[in-house]
Amino acid sequence: MVEIPLNEQIISQFCGRPVCVITQDGTRYIGQLSRCSQGKLVLNEQSHAAGTATGGHTDKVEERVPKKGKKSTKHKSKASTAPAATTNSEYGPYGGYPPPYPYTPYPFFGPRVELDLALITLLFLLFI
């Protein structure tokens, strides 16, 4: 761990790097340093433009419109005779285990965090 001086110009050089922030009340935040400007330090900010430029996920949803045309004359085949999964527990088909992903999906380090530089006691660079 390398301590970073609490100066906006110096902190801005480490944007995109994983950091640990400790506030005056002892709260710790670990995340990716997104930006530092106007007395604020922002962690885990996901810009929409950056996601599309790198081929990341976009929130655009395309609607599928069924095509109008002649109806199919083929008959549907009978459904397979395999029995449907029965769920007797509160966790569904997973038995006594909780669902595989019970948390909401966030970026790697968690949700966006915005902190005042005046409230920060220590700022560490995690990986060199």
Side-chain angles (χ1 to χ4, degrees):
M1 293 190 313
V2 178
E3 186 175 347
I4 301 172
L6 296 176
N7 182 342
E8 284 186 18
Q9 294 174 342
I10 296 173
I11 294 172
S12 295
Q13 296 174 0
F14 296 100
C15 286
R17 306 286 301 269
V19 294
C20 176
V21 180
I22 301 176
T23 60
Q24 292 177 354
D25 65 352
T27 307
R28 296 180 192 163
Y29 298 94
I30 296 177
Q32 183 179 13
L33 179 62
S34 298
R35 62 185 166 94
C36 181
S37 61
Q38 300 173 356
K40 302 275 187 185
L41 180 83
V42 180
L43 301 176
N44 307 325
E45 183 175 53
Q46 299 292 318
S47 65
H48 183 67
T52 58
T54 59
H57 176 71
T58 59
D59 293 329
K60 183 178 178 183
V61 177
E62 296 180 14
E63 290 187 27
R64 295 185 182 225
V65 179
K67 294 181 181 180
K68 293 183 180 179
K70 55 183 172 177
K71 294 182 180 180
S72 174
T73 58
K74 295 181 181 179
H75 296 286
K76 292 183 181 179
S77 63
K78 292 184 179 181
S80 64
T81 58
T86 58
T87 57
N88 293 334
S89 72
E90 64 184 80
Y91 294 115
Y94 304 109
Y97 298 102
Y101 300 108
Y103 55 87
T104 56
Y106 284 117
F108 185 68
F109 289 109
R112 181 180 182 270
V113 177
E114 185 173 320
L115 302 166
D116 285 328
L117 277 178
L119 299 176
I120 296 174
T121 302
L122 296 171
L123 176 63
F124 292 102
L125 180 64
L126 292 179
F127 304 111
I128 299 175

